[in-house]
Amino acid sequence: MAEPTRRDFLYIATGAAAVVGVGSVAWPLVSQMNPDASTLALASTEVDVSSIAEDSILTVKWRGKPVFVRHRTAKEIQEAQSVATASLIDPQSDQDRVKQSTLAGKARPEWLVVIGVCTHLGCVPLGHQGDYDGWFCPCHGSQYDPSGRVRRGPAPKNLEVPTYAFTADTKLTIG
Amino acid sequence: MSGPSTYVPKSALGRWFESRLPIGGLIHSSFVVYPTPKNLNYFWAFGGILSLMLVAQIITGVVLAMHYTPEATMAFSSVENIMRNVNYGWLLRYLHANGASMFFFAVYVHIFRGMFYGSYKAPREVLWILGVIIFLLMMATAFMGYVLPWGQMSFWGATVITNLFSALPGIGEPIVTWLWGGYSVDNPTLNRFFALHYLLPFMIVGVVILHVWALHVTGQNNPAGVEVKSVERDTVPFTPYATIKDAFAMVVFLILYSWFVFYVPNYLGDADNYIVANPLVTPAHIVPEWYFLPFYAILRSIPSKLGGVIAMFGSIAILAFLPWLDTSKIRSGRFRPLFQIFFFGFVIAAMGLGYLGSKPPEGAYVIAGRLLSVYYFAYFLVILPLLGLFETPRTLPATIADDVLAKGGSAILAGAAQAPSTKG
């Protein structure tokens, strides 16, 4: 095999520069479409829950999405807890869904906090509707129970539970 | 089909220019002396009509962009400002909005024409696939354009359609966030949709040039589906024959277009889109524009999120494979008695899906949607592959000239070669 020539060196160096160059320009072009710093900064929202009467739902906006804060009745909690978890589309116990609803170590299962976006195609479900009196999505007919768990498709998953915490008796911080 | 141009400009300046950039010869060979089959019917006018609509959409769109504000708090009112205050703004916006509908109406006629007369068969497979790409680009452009007025249907249509990508396992959610530029459809989404809505039509122009180029390499198909054997006997020059016929068809088409624009400009739209976008309230009944309804019905027919999304995209992608799914050697449906029945069944199924897409997804509508979706896919995957093996076609005319003469010229031109063809 012949000695590498100056031409071989230029060939490889130019090719390497082209590969690195394309890669380093392609990534910023893709990344610029992701949420920018100002969008990421809107991370948390404070809610005063004292105005939410039992058996009613407050809708608040968090990161541009609706969040439902539902003040559940004792009957709803009891029913949600007694469902056979394994029979659900997306099995999850009610206790698991409200485990963040605590204040000073005391559970508050009457407060359910879920993102108000149907897990099918993103519509906002309507509260106190459907066969389970939880939520009903008007777009494609998905139904959720008062725990925000999907009970009838096409939605594949339960309503998402955001990160939240009660910082005082009536003060809820989402995000 | 066409040899090297023999075009020689008449003026000295024209000859000077032609020897430096032979654009006159290109136009002359493509649109003047270009041989077109003698037997083309009015279904062949829709290519020209589509070119006209593309130009009309670009012109009205560019001037609308001079008055529109792509910002979430101002977009809706800037559209109302166009309607009320901009000189002839109402006309330009109604032309553009209804133009999209007319564009899709024409493209569906054009696609069904190709499917009936077998225009996708060899040697026109690449021509056909380029058409499918144009159709996809049109759908993307129309979808993003519908988001720009930032009404309730704009917002929720954008939410539902972008959420289709969340069905992809694992990478779905990051892709949706990336498409939105946030955690919901919002100002960044509107901005990028506007940029892309302005860009895509020019990409369509690019693919249309390739489409016309591919057409001029293979030559046009024709209602008999037999290839041109003699340019002398089987064809007429593009100008004046096809030019005048296309121009007349365009004028008739413009009458229909004008009727919508001037008499029922909002008939094809949705009243909810005159309510400004509200991220906290979903309209009771989300429906896409009419031209997406059949695909929307297929999406809703499948009781699984990922399955529905795959079926919907698959229903469009399957068109690209049509040249290889249809096993029959006969191009034109005129000579395929069984194919005709299944083809018109397909047209009815597609229209039925369109009707069902506008209805709420419950009860009998869901069952009907599933049956028609099954027929839609069976047409491509079962009926066409098998039909070519079992069907006995009618006798083809030997040449295009024979086909024309068999239809009415035989009395005049007695003695001309007659093909034993029956009327299809």
PDB file of all heavy atoms in Angstrom, chain A residues 30 33-35 40 63-66 119-124 138-140, chain B residues 156 159-160 163-164 177-178 181 183-184 192 280 282 284 286 296 300 305:
ATOM      1  N   VAL A  30     -32.600  21.660  16.103  1.00  0.00           N
ATOM      2  CA  VAL A  30     -33.640  20.815  16.687  1.00  0.00           C
ATOM      3  C   VAL A  30     -34.030  21.351  18.063  1.00  0.00           C
ATOM      4  O   VAL A  30     -35.200  21.520  18.387  1.00  0.00           O
ATOM      5  CB  VAL A  30     -33.143  19.351  16.796  1.00  0.00           C
ATOM      6  CG1 VAL A  30     -34.125  18.505  17.592  1.00  0.00           C
ATOM      7  CG2 VAL A  30     -32.936  18.766  15.399  1.00  0.00           C
ATOM      8  N   MET A  33     -36.578  24.266  19.230  1.00  0.00           N
ATOM      9  CA  MET A  33     -38.032  24.084  19.273  1.00  0.00           C
ATOM     10  C   MET A  33     -38.529  23.624  20.636  1.00  0.00           C
ATOM     11  O   MET A  33     -39.722  23.666  20.916  1.00  0.00           O
ATOM     12  CB  MET A  33     -38.478  23.101  18.190  1.00  0.00           C
ATOM     13  CG  MET A  33     -38.607  23.800  16.834  1.00  0.00           C
ATOM     14  SD  MET A  33     -39.033  22.690  15.502  1.00  0.00           S
ATOM     15  CE  MET A  33     -40.677  22.177  15.952  1.00  0.00           C
ATOM     16  N   ASN A  34     -37.650  23.185  21.518  1.00  0.00           N
ATOM     17  CA  ASN A  34     -38.070  22.770  22.855  1.00  0.00           C
ATOM     18  C   ASN A  34     -38.445  23.984  23.706  1.00  0.00           C
ATOM     19  O   ASN A  34     -38.104  25.107  23.350  1.00  0.00           O
ATOM     20  CB  ASN A  34     -36.954  21.958  23.513  1.00  0.00           C
ATOM     21  CG  ASN A  34     -37.128  20.475  23.255  1.00  0.00           C
ATOM     22  OD1 ASN A  34     -38.249  19.962  23.303  1.00  0.00           O
ATOM     23  ND2 ASN A  34     -36.039  19.793  22.965  1.00  0.00           N
ATOM     24  N   PRO A  35     -39.156  23.779  24.836  1.00  0.00           N
ATOM     25  CA  PRO A  35     -39.599  24.913  25.660  1.00  0.00           C
ATOM     26  C   PRO A  35     -38.425  25.804  26.043  1.00  0.00           C
ATOM     27  O   PRO A  35     -37.363  25.312  26.429  1.00  0.00           O
ATOM     28  CB  PRO A  35     -40.188  24.211  26.891  1.00  0.00           C
ATOM     29  CG  PRO A  35     -40.602  22.877  26.425  1.00  0.00           C
ATOM     30  CD  PRO A  35     -39.621  22.503  25.358  1.00  0.00           C
ATOM     31  N   LEU A  40     -40.073  27.410  30.952  1.00  0.00           N
ATOM     32  CA  LEU A  40     -39.663  26.539  32.055  1.00  0.00           C
ATOM     33  C   LEU A  40     -39.782  27.254  33.397  1.00  0.00           C
ATOM     34  O   LEU A  40     -40.002  26.629  34.426  1.00  0.00           O
ATOM     35  CB  LEU A  40     -38.209  26.082  31.848  1.00  0.00           C
ATOM     36  CG  LEU A  40     -37.963  25.171  30.648  1.00  0.00           C
ATOM     37  CD1 LEU A  40     -36.477  24.972  30.421  1.00  0.00           C
ATOM     38  CD2 LEU A  40     -38.641  23.826  30.842  1.00  0.00           C
ATOM     39  N   ARG A  63     -48.744  25.776  33.907  1.00  0.00           N
ATOM     40  CA  ARG A  63     -47.961  25.516  32.689  1.00  0.00           C
ATOM     41  C   ARG A  63     -48.848  25.497  31.449  1.00  0.00           C
ATOM     42  O   ARG A  63     -48.660  24.687  30.544  1.00  0.00           O
ATOM     43  CB  ARG A  63     -47.252  24.179  32.796  1.00  0.00           C
ATOM     44  CG  ARG A  63     -46.057  24.204  33.729  1.00  0.00           C
ATOM     45  CD  ARG A  63     -45.442  22.820  33.732  1.00  0.00           C
ATOM     46  NE  ARG A  63     -44.062  22.833  34.153  1.00  0.00           N
ATOM     47  CZ  ARG A  63     -43.279  21.761  34.157  1.00  0.00           C
ATOM     48  NH1 ARG A  63     -43.756  20.604  33.765  1.00  0.00           N
ATOM     49  NH2 ARG A  63     -42.053  21.829  34.560  1.00  0.00           N
ATOM     50  N   GLY A  64     -49.838  26.387  31.432  1.00  0.00           N
ATOM     51  CA  GLY A  64     -50.715  26.491  30.267  1.00  0.00           C
ATOM     52  C   GLY A  64     -51.777  25.411  30.177  1.00  0.00           C
ATOM     53  O   GLY A  64     -52.578  25.399  29.259  1.00  0.00           O
ATOM     54  N   LYS A  65     -51.759  24.492  31.159  1.00  0.00           N
ATOM     55  CA  LYS A  65     -52.748  23.409  31.141  1.00  0.00           C
ATOM     56  C   LYS A  65     -53.727  23.586  32.287  1.00  0.00           C
ATOM     57  O   LYS A  65     -53.354  24.107  33.339  1.00  0.00           O
ATOM     58  CB  LYS A  65     -52.060  22.062  31.353  1.00  0.00           C
ATOM     59  CG  LYS A  65     -51.176  21.594  30.266  1.00  0.00           C
ATOM     60  CD  LYS A  65     -50.589  20.264  30.699  1.00  0.00           C
ATOM     61  CE  LYS A  65     -49.525  19.833  29.710  1.00  0.00           C
ATOM     62  NZ  LYS A  65     -48.929  18.579  30.076  1.00  0.00           N
ATOM     63  N   PRO A  66     -54.959  23.102  32.149  1.00  0.00           N
ATOM     64  CA  PRO A  66     -55.882  23.125  33.273  1.00  0.00           C
ATOM     65  C   PRO A  66     -55.514  22.046  34.293  1.00  0.00           C
ATOM     66  O   PRO A  66     -55.136  20.935  33.920  1.00  0.00           O
ATOM     67  CB  PRO A  66     -57.237  22.827  32.629  1.00  0.00           C
ATOM     68  CG  PRO A  66     -56.916  22.146  31.346  1.00  0.00           C
ATOM     69  CD  PRO A  66     -55.550  22.553  30.926  1.00  0.00           C
ATOM     70  N   THR A 119     -55.967  11.813  28.547  1.00  0.00           N
ATOM     71  CA  THR A 119     -54.744  11.131  28.111  1.00  0.00           C
ATOM     72  C   THR A 119     -54.890  10.519  26.722  1.00  0.00           C
ATOM     73  O   THR A 119     -53.949   9.936  26.206  1.00  0.00           O
ATOM     74  CB  THR A 119     -54.353  10.031  29.112  1.00  0.00           C
ATOM     75  OG1 THR A 119     -55.462   9.143  29.264  1.00  0.00           O
ATOM     76  CG2 THR A 119     -53.985  10.633  30.451  1.00  0.00           C
ATOM     77  N   HIS A 120     -56.053  10.684  26.110  1.00  0.00           N
ATOM     78  CA  HIS A 120     -56.196  10.219  24.736  1.00  0.00           C
ATOM     79  C   HIS A 120     -55.561  11.245  23.806  1.00  0.00           C
ATOM     80  O   HIS A 120     -54.419  11.094  23.401  1.00  0.00           O
ATOM     81  CB  HIS A 120     -57.685   9.996  24.396  1.00  0.00           C
ATOM     82  CG  HIS A 120     -57.921   9.507  23.000  1.00  0.00           C
ATOM     83  ND1 HIS A 120     -58.890  10.026  22.185  1.00  0.00           N
ATOM     84  CD2 HIS A 120     -57.299   8.554  22.286  1.00  0.00           C
ATOM     85  CE1 HIS A 120     -58.850   9.393  21.024  1.00  0.00           C
ATOM     86  NE2 HIS A 120     -57.895   8.501  21.061  1.00  0.00           N
ATOM     87  N   LEU A 121     -56.268  12.350  23.531  1.00  0.00           N
ATOM     88  CA  LEU A 121     -55.707  13.316  22.596  1.00  0.00           C
ATOM     89  C   LEU A 121     -55.742  14.741  23.139  1.00  0.00           C
ATOM     90  O   LEU A 121     -55.737  15.702  22.370  1.00  0.00           O
ATOM     91  CB  LEU A 121     -56.418  13.225  21.246  1.00  0.00           C
ATOM     92  CG  LEU A 121     -56.159  11.923  20.483  1.00  0.00           C
ATOM     93  CD1 LEU A 121     -57.004  11.832  19.231  1.00  0.00           C
ATOM     94  CD2 LEU A 121     -54.695  11.754  20.129  1.00  0.00           C
ATOM     95  N   GLY A 122     -55.792  14.889  24.474  1.00  0.00           N
ATOM     96  CA  GLY A 122     -55.530  16.202  25.047  1.00  0.00           C
ATOM     97  C   GLY A 122     -56.709  17.140  25.232  1.00  0.00           C
ATOM     98  O   GLY A 122     -56.507  18.318  25.494  1.00  0.00           O
ATOM     99  N   CYS A 123     -57.945  16.678  25.102  1.00  0.00           N
ATOM    100  CA  CYS A 123     -59.084  17.560  25.368  1.00  0.00           C
ATOM    101  C   CYS A 123     -59.249  17.733  26.880  1.00  0.00           C
ATOM    102  O   CYS A 123     -58.671  16.993  27.664  1.00  0.00           O
ATOM    103  CB  CYS A 123     -60.362  16.955  24.777  1.00  0.00           C
ATOM    104  SG  CYS A 123     -60.301  16.811  23.000  1.00  0.00           S
ATOM    105  N   VAL A 124     -60.070  18.718  27.265  1.00  0.00           N
ATOM    106  CA  VAL A 124     -60.351  18.948  28.674  1.00  0.00           C
ATOM    107  C   VAL A 124     -61.650  18.215  29.026  1.00  0.00           C
ATOM    108  O   VAL A 124     -62.714  18.574  28.523  1.00  0.00           O
ATOM    109  CB  VAL A 124     -60.495  20.457  28.956  1.00  0.00           C
ATOM    110  CG1 VAL A 124     -60.819  20.682  30.428  1.00  0.00           C
ATOM    111  CG2 VAL A 124     -59.217  21.188  28.583  1.00  0.00           C
ATOM    112  N   PRO A 138     -65.508  15.012  26.043  1.00  0.00           N
ATOM    113  CA  PRO A 138     -66.474  15.198  24.966  1.00  0.00           C
ATOM    114  C   PRO A 138     -65.905  14.865  23.584  1.00  0.00           C
ATOM    115  O   PRO A 138     -66.657  14.740  22.628  1.00  0.00           O
ATOM    116  CB  PRO A 138     -66.804  16.689  25.056  1.00  0.00           C
ATOM    117  CG  PRO A 138     -65.590  17.315  25.642  1.00  0.00           C
ATOM    118  CD  PRO A 138     -64.991  16.293  26.567  1.00  0.00           C
ATOM    119  N   CYS A 139     -64.587  14.742  23.495  1.00  0.00           N
ATOM    120  CA  CYS A 139     -64.011  14.540  22.158  1.00  0.00           C
ATOM    121  C   CYS A 139     -64.216  13.126  21.647  1.00  0.00           C
ATOM    122  O   CYS A 139     -64.714  12.928  20.548  1.00  0.00           O
ATOM    123  CB  CYS A 139     -62.535  14.886  22.169  1.00  0.00           C
ATOM    124  SG  CYS A 139     -62.272  16.642  22.421  1.00  0.00           S
ATOM    125  N   HIS A 140     -63.787  12.150  22.432  1.00  0.00           N
ATOM    126  CA  HIS A 140     -63.870  10.784  21.937  1.00  0.00           C
ATOM    127  C   HIS A 140     -64.489   9.835  22.949  1.00  0.00           C
ATOM    128  O   HIS A 140     -64.327   8.625  22.865  1.00  0.00           O
ATOM    129  CB  HIS A 140     -62.498  10.300  21.477  1.00  0.00           C
ATOM    130  CG  HIS A 140     -61.879  11.212  20.475  1.00  0.00           C
ATOM    131  ND1 HIS A 140     -60.955  12.169  20.814  1.00  0.00           N
ATOM    132  CD2 HIS A 140     -62.101  11.384  19.160  1.00  0.00           C
ATOM    133  CE1 HIS A 140     -60.635  12.866  19.755  1.00  0.00           C
ATOM    134  NE2 HIS A 140     -61.308  12.419  18.736  1.00  0.00           N
TER     135      HIS A 140
ATOM    136  N   TRP B 156     -58.110  23.678  19.617  1.00  0.00           N
ATOM    137  CA  TRP B 156     -58.355  22.291  20.011  1.00  0.00           C
ATOM    138  C   TRP B 156     -58.035  21.320  18.893  1.00  0.00           C
ATOM    139  O   TRP B 156     -57.649  20.175  19.142  1.00  0.00           O
ATOM    140  CB  TRP B 156     -59.770  22.136  20.555  1.00  0.00           C
ATOM    141  CG  TRP B 156     -59.828  22.834  21.874  1.00  0.00           C
ATOM    142  CD1 TRP B 156     -60.338  24.072  22.139  1.00  0.00           C
ATOM    143  CD2 TRP B 156     -59.233  22.381  23.096  1.00  0.00           C
ATOM    144  NE1 TRP B 156     -60.118  24.404  23.446  1.00  0.00           N
ATOM    145  CE2 TRP B 156     -59.446  23.382  24.067  1.00  0.00           C
ATOM    146  CE3 TRP B 156     -58.552  21.225  23.468  1.00  0.00           C
ATOM    147  CZ2 TRP B 156     -58.997  23.270  25.378  1.00  0.00           C
ATOM    148  CZ3 TRP B 156     -58.115  21.105  24.777  1.00  0.00           C
ATOM    149  CH2 TRP B 156     -58.341  22.121  25.717  1.00  0.00           C
ATOM    150  N   THR B 159     -54.429  20.876  19.323  1.00  0.00           N
ATOM    151  CA  THR B 159     -54.152  20.038  20.493  1.00  0.00           C
ATOM    152  C   THR B 159     -54.358  18.560  20.161  1.00  0.00           C
ATOM    153  O   THR B 159     -53.496  17.722  20.436  1.00  0.00           O
ATOM    154  CB  THR B 159     -55.077  20.454  21.655  1.00  0.00           C
ATOM    155  OG1 THR B 159     -54.793  21.819  21.984  1.00  0.00           O
ATOM    156  CG2 THR B 159     -54.853  19.595  22.878  1.00  0.00           C
ATOM    157  N   VAL B 160     -55.493  18.251  19.536  1.00  0.00           N
ATOM    158  CA  VAL B 160     -55.796  16.848  19.243  1.00  0.00           C
ATOM    159  C   VAL B 160     -54.792  16.271  18.248  1.00  0.00           C
ATOM    160  O   VAL B 160     -54.270  15.169  18.435  1.00  0.00           O
ATOM    161  CB  VAL B 160     -57.247  16.702  18.729  1.00  0.00           C
ATOM    162  CG1 VAL B 160     -57.478  15.318  18.150  1.00  0.00           C
ATOM    163  CG2 VAL B 160     -58.240  16.964  19.856  1.00  0.00           C
ATOM    164  N   ASN B 163     -51.311  15.832  19.646  1.00  0.00           N
ATOM    165  CA  ASN B 163     -51.321  14.760  20.625  1.00  0.00           C
ATOM    166  C   ASN B 163     -51.297  13.381  19.982  1.00  0.00           C
ATOM    167  O   ASN B 163     -51.032  12.385  20.669  1.00  0.00           O
ATOM    168  CB  ASN B 163     -52.551  14.867  21.535  1.00  0.00           C
ATOM    169  CG  ASN B 163     -52.201  15.491  22.865  1.00  0.00           C
ATOM    170  OD1 ASN B 163     -51.301  15.021  23.561  1.00  0.00           O
ATOM    171  ND2 ASN B 163     -52.869  16.562  23.217  1.00  0.00           N
ATOM    172  N   LEU B 164     -51.576  13.289  18.682  1.00  0.00           N
ATOM    173  CA  LEU B 164     -51.492  11.992  18.003  1.00  0.00           C
ATOM    174  C   LEU B 164     -50.106  11.398  18.191  1.00  0.00           C
ATOM    175  O   LEU B 164     -49.937  10.195  18.325  1.00  0.00           O
ATOM    176  CB  LEU B 164     -51.771  12.139  16.501  1.00  0.00           C
ATOM    177  CG  LEU B 164     -53.182  12.551  16.084  1.00  0.00           C
ATOM    178  CD1 LEU B 164     -53.232  12.738  14.584  1.00  0.00           C
ATOM    179  CD2 LEU B 164     -54.189  11.503  16.515  1.00  0.00           C
ATOM    180  N   THR B 177     -43.985  17.770  23.345  1.00  0.00           N
ATOM    181  CA  THR B 177     -43.451  18.978  23.988  1.00  0.00           C
ATOM    182  C   THR B 177     -42.572  19.751  23.001  1.00  0.00           C
ATOM    183  O   THR B 177     -42.631  20.978  22.914  1.00  0.00           O
ATOM    184  CB  THR B 177     -42.625  18.594  25.231  1.00  0.00           C
ATOM    185  OG1 THR B 177     -43.453  17.823  26.085  1.00  0.00           O
ATOM    186  CG2 THR B 177     -42.131  19.813  25.978  1.00  0.00           C
ATOM    187  N   TRP B 178     -41.803  19.023  22.235  1.00  0.00           N
ATOM    188  CA  TRP B 178     -40.919  19.633  21.235  1.00  0.00           C
ATOM    189  C   TRP B 178     -41.738  20.326  20.153  1.00  0.00           C
ATOM    190  O   TRP B 178     -41.421  21.444  19.736  1.00  0.00           O
ATOM    191  CB  TRP B 178     -40.030  18.533  20.647  1.00  0.00           C
ATOM    192  CG  TRP B 178     -39.075  18.976  19.594  1.00  0.00           C
ATOM    193  CD1 TRP B 178     -37.912  19.673  19.793  1.00  0.00           C
ATOM    194  CD2 TRP B 178     -39.164  18.733  18.191  1.00  0.00           C
ATOM    195  NE1 TRP B 178     -37.292  19.881  18.589  1.00  0.00           N
ATOM    196  CE2 TRP B 178     -38.034  19.323  17.587  1.00  0.00           C
ATOM    197  CE3 TRP B 178     -40.104  18.088  17.374  1.00  0.00           C
ATOM    198  CZ2 TRP B 178     -37.803  19.279  16.215  1.00  0.00           C
ATOM    199  CZ3 TRP B 178     -39.864  18.038  16.013  1.00  0.00           C
ATOM    200  CH2 TRP B 178     -38.740  18.642  15.436  1.00  0.00           C
ATOM    201  N   GLY B 181     -43.252  23.447  21.851  1.00  0.00           N
ATOM    202  CA  GLY B 181     -42.370  24.457  22.425  1.00  0.00           C
ATOM    203  C   GLY B 181     -42.844  24.869  23.794  1.00  0.00           C
ATOM    204  O   GLY B 181     -42.620  26.004  24.227  1.00  0.00           O
ATOM    205  N   TYR B 183     -45.664  23.262  27.334  1.00  0.00           N
ATOM    206  CA  TYR B 183     -46.382  22.137  27.903  1.00  0.00           C
ATOM    207  C   TYR B 183     -47.827  22.084  27.432  1.00  0.00           C
ATOM    208  O   TYR B 183     -48.629  21.294  27.909  1.00  0.00           O
ATOM    209  CB  TYR B 183     -46.273  22.177  29.426  1.00  0.00           C
ATOM    210  CG  TYR B 183     -44.836  22.075  29.846  1.00  0.00           C
ATOM    211  CD1 TYR B 183     -44.133  23.200  30.240  1.00  0.00           C
ATOM    212  CD2 TYR B 183     -44.163  20.865  29.735  1.00  0.00           C
ATOM    213  CE1 TYR B 183     -42.789  23.113  30.551  1.00  0.00           C
ATOM    214  CE2 TYR B 183     -42.826  20.772  30.045  1.00  0.00           C
ATOM    215  CZ  TYR B 183     -42.134  21.895  30.457  1.00  0.00           C
ATOM    216  OH  TYR B 183     -40.810  21.802  30.746  1.00  0.00           O
ATOM    217  N   SER B 184     -48.168  22.981  26.549  1.00  0.00           N
ATOM    218  CA  SER B 184     -49.482  22.953  25.911  1.00  0.00           C
ATOM    219  C   SER B 184     -49.353  23.753  24.612  1.00  0.00           C
ATOM    220  O   SER B 184     -48.336  24.397  24.377  1.00  0.00           O
ATOM    221  CB  SER B 184     -50.535  23.580  26.826  1.00  0.00           C
ATOM    222  OG  SER B 184     -50.193  24.917  27.085  1.00  0.00           O
ATOM    223  N   ARG B 192     -44.489  28.978  15.265  1.00  0.00           N
ATOM    224  CA  ARG B 192     -43.820  28.047  14.350  1.00  0.00           C
ATOM    225  C   ARG B 192     -44.798  27.538  13.286  1.00  0.00           C
ATOM    226  O   ARG B 192     -44.391  27.297  12.158  1.00  0.00           O
ATOM    227  CB  ARG B 192     -43.189  26.884  15.126  1.00  0.00           C
ATOM    228  CG  ARG B 192     -44.144  26.043  15.909  1.00  0.00           C
ATOM    229  CD  ARG B 192     -43.428  25.091  16.837  1.00  0.00           C
ATOM    230  NE  ARG B 192     -42.561  25.820  17.768  1.00  0.00           N
ATOM    231  CZ  ARG B 192     -41.812  25.226  18.693  1.00  0.00           C
ATOM    232  NH1 ARG B 192     -41.813  23.922  18.809  1.00  0.00           N
ATOM    233  NH2 ARG B 192     -41.037  25.934  19.480  1.00  0.00           N
ATOM    234  N   LEU B 280     -58.830  26.380  28.619  1.00  0.00           N
ATOM    235  CA  LEU B 280     -59.472  25.694  29.739  1.00  0.00           C
ATOM    236  C   LEU B 280     -60.817  25.068  29.362  1.00  0.00           C
ATOM    237  O   LEU B 280     -61.399  24.352  30.162  1.00  0.00           O
ATOM    238  CB  LEU B 280     -59.667  26.652  30.914  1.00  0.00           C
ATOM    239  CG  LEU B 280     -58.378  27.226  31.499  1.00  0.00           C
ATOM    240  CD1 LEU B 280     -58.669  28.049  32.726  1.00  0.00           C
ATOM    241  CD2 LEU B 280     -57.385  26.124  31.839  1.00  0.00           C
ATOM    242  N   THR B 282     -62.841  22.879  26.364  1.00  0.00           N
ATOM    243  CA  THR B 282     -62.884  22.175  25.083  1.00  0.00           C
ATOM    244  C   THR B 282     -64.289  22.330  24.498  1.00  0.00           C
ATOM    245  O   THR B 282     -65.267  22.166  25.214  1.00  0.00           O
ATOM    246  CB  THR B 282     -62.600  20.682  25.295  1.00  0.00           C
ATOM    247  OG1 THR B 282     -61.359  20.542  25.973  1.00  0.00           O
ATOM    248  CG2 THR B 282     -62.509  19.960  23.975  1.00  0.00           C
ATOM    249  N   ALA B 284     -67.781  21.410  22.834  1.00  0.00           N
ATOM    250  CA  ALA B 284     -68.542  20.184  23.061  1.00  0.00           C
ATOM    251  C   ALA B 284     -68.271  19.135  21.990  1.00  0.00           C
ATOM    252  O   ALA B 284     -68.321  17.945  22.249  1.00  0.00           O
ATOM    253  CB  ALA B 284     -70.026  20.500  23.122  1.00  0.00           C
ATOM    254  N   ILE B 286     -65.622  18.425  18.877  1.00  0.00           N
ATOM    255  CA  ILE B 286     -64.486  18.812  18.032  1.00  0.00           C
ATOM    256  C   ILE B 286     -64.560  18.075  16.704  1.00  0.00           C
ATOM    257  O   ILE B 286     -64.608  16.844  16.678  1.00  0.00           O
ATOM    258  CB  ILE B 286     -63.147  18.483  18.707  1.00  0.00           C
ATOM    259  CG1 ILE B 286     -62.978  19.336  19.958  1.00  0.00           C
ATOM    260  CG2 ILE B 286     -61.993  18.744  17.753  1.00  0.00           C
ATOM    261  CD1 ILE B 286     -61.605  19.237  20.556  1.00  0.00           C
ATOM    262  N   TYR B 296     -60.235  11.146  10.036  1.00  0.00           N
ATOM    263  CA  TYR B 296     -60.610  11.307  11.444  1.00  0.00           C
ATOM    264  C   TYR B 296     -61.547  10.170  11.869  1.00  0.00           C
ATOM    265  O   TYR B 296     -61.426   9.624  12.970  1.00  0.00           O
ATOM    266  CB  TYR B 296     -61.299  12.664  11.612  1.00  0.00           C
ATOM    267  CG  TYR B 296     -61.497  13.124  13.035  1.00  0.00           C
ATOM    268  CD1 TYR B 296     -60.399  13.329  13.877  1.00  0.00           C
ATOM    269  CD2 TYR B 296     -62.764  13.397  13.530  1.00  0.00           C
ATOM    270  CE1 TYR B 296     -60.573  13.782  15.163  1.00  0.00           C
ATOM    271  CE2 TYR B 296     -62.953  13.845  14.823  1.00  0.00           C
ATOM    272  CZ  TYR B 296     -61.847  14.036  15.643  1.00  0.00           C
ATOM    273  OH  TYR B 296     -62.037  14.494  16.916  1.00  0.00           O
ATOM    274  N   ARG B 300     -60.985   7.312  14.872  1.00  0.00           N
ATOM    275  CA  ARG B 300     -61.901   7.070  15.982  1.00  0.00           C
ATOM    276  C   ARG B 300     -62.491   5.674  15.968  1.00  0.00           C
ATOM    277  O   ARG B 300     -63.081   5.232  16.952  1.00  0.00           O
ATOM    278  CB  ARG B 300     -63.032   8.098  15.946  1.00  0.00           C
ATOM    279  CG  ARG B 300     -62.513   9.507  16.123  1.00  0.00           C
ATOM    280  CD  ARG B 300     -63.609  10.455  16.439  1.00  0.00           C
ATOM    281  NE  ARG B 300     -64.700  10.384  15.491  1.00  0.00           N
ATOM    282  CZ  ARG B 300     -65.724  11.204  15.492  1.00  0.00           C
ATOM    283  NH1 ARG B 300     -65.796  12.149  16.393  1.00  0.00           N
ATOM    284  NH2 ARG B 300     -66.676  11.105  14.599  1.00  0.00           N
ATOM    285  N   LYS B 305     -55.481   3.790  21.335  1.00  0.00           N
ATOM    286  CA  LYS B 305     -54.890   5.074  20.947  1.00  0.00           C
ATOM    287  C   LYS B 305     -53.832   4.904  19.856  1.00  0.00           C
ATOM    288  O   LYS B 305     -53.913   5.490  18.785  1.00  0.00           O
ATOM    289  CB  LYS B 305     -54.293   5.736  22.187  1.00  0.00           C
ATOM    290  CG  LYS B 305     -53.672   7.087  21.913  1.00  0.00           C
ATOM    291  CD  LYS B 305     -53.327   7.777  23.223  1.00  0.00           C
ATOM    292  CE  LYS B 305     -52.375   8.912  23.007  1.00  0.00           C
ATOM    293  NZ  LYS B 305     -52.071   9.633  24.244  1.00  0.00           N
TER     294      LYS B 305
END
